[in-house]
Amino acid sequence: MKKTIATLILLVLGTGISQAQLLEFGVKGGVNFANYTGGDVSGVDFKTITSYHAGMVMELKVFENFAIQPELLYSTQGAELEGLGDQVKNELGYLSIPVLAKFYLTSNELSLELGPQASFLVSERNEVDANDTNSFEFGIAGGLSYKITKSIFVSGRYVAGLTEAKKDADVKNSLIQFSVGYMF
């Protein structure tokens, strides 16, 4: 009887430990290089702005070399508009939710990430009052991530907007992100 109880306890503990290794949580933050793509606004050139992103990340290991990585990020995007007399900075704050398929290319260090991203507009800072920004944006994200240690990682990503960022201009958000993160 004692052997059966001890075996059950070891089995439950072993299952709990293996489950903990399947699901990890972390935080990340970094720099954004954002711009608009597409659209032809007469006499206006789009210039890249430098901004930031920060938030939480979760990794759910499905197979040895494959995981699903949902994130919840606050990300500032937009562009600087040149040609309206003065340079006008259009900075948009989004709550972004990328859900990425993560393919490990080496033994759990280097990974390729690809998946959809939904973004909800939560703030808008303009130097001119336009009120023409769409409140929802959908895009596709892809990039690479590298685990420096078991807990610390760096990543680079490109996010291409698939829906229009502005109501009156056929422009989409384009974003390059560099991040540093920590998994608990």
Side-chain angles (χ1 to χ4, degrees):
M1 181 70 172
K2 288 181 183 181
K3 281 185 176 181
T4 305
I5 293 173
T7 304
L8 286 174
I9 290 172
L10 287 174
L11 182 62
V12 168
L13 286 175
T15 303
I17 290 169
S18 69
Q19 290 296 329
Q21 292 174 351
L22 294 177
L23 184 62
E24 292 183 279
F25 295 92
V27 293
K28 69 182 274 187
V31 64
N32 289 349
F33 299 100
N35 204 341
Y36 292 141
T37 58
D40 187 20
V41 180
S42 178
V44 176
D45 290 325
F46 304 126
K47 302 292 181 191
T48 300
I49 62 171
T50 303
S51 57
Y52 65 94
H53 65 277
M56 300 177 291
V57 60
M58 181 177 79
E59 183 177 315
L60 175 63
K61 199 83 160 205
V62 179
F63 300 111
E64 181 64 29
N65 294 325
F66 178 73
I68 302 294
Q69 181 172 301
E71 299 175 358
L72 179 62
L73 303 172
Y74 178 79
S75 178
T76 55
Q77 301 175 34
E80 201 165 291
L81 312 174
E82 193 174 81
L84 297 173
D86 293 327
Q87 281 186 301
V88 176
K89 187 174 184 180
N90 183 222
E91 191 173 281
L92 309 171
Y94 287 99
L95 188 60
S96 297
I97 306 169
V99 179
L100 306 171
K102 189 170 187 172
F103 302 94
Y104 283 97
L105 305 175
T106 61
S107 60
N108 293 328
E109 292 172 345
L110 180 65
S111 60
L112 173 68
E113 303 166 349
L114 182 65
Q117 175 173 300
S119 298
F120 302 90
L121 185 69
V122 293
S123 69
E124 183 173 7
R125 186 169 51 171
N126 293 316
E127 293 174 358
V128 64
D129 188 21
N131 290 328
D132 66 341
T133 304
N134 287 319
S135 60
F136 176 78
E137 183 197 37
F138 185 76
I140 189 83
L144 294 172
S145 186
Y146 183 77
K147 287 186 178 178
I148 297 171
T149 67
K150 183 169 172 36
S151 299
I152 299 171
F153 66 92
V154 294
S155 64
R157 178 180 301 166
Y158 177 73
V159 182
L162 299 176
T163 57
E164 293 179 6
K166 296 292 193 176
K167 295 175 186 171
D168 298 329
D170 184 23
V171 296
K172 297 171 177 64
N173 279 312
S174 173
L175 180 67
I176 295 173
Q177 293 181 321
F178 294 105
S179 308
V180 175
Y182 183 83
M183 299 301 278
F184 301 104

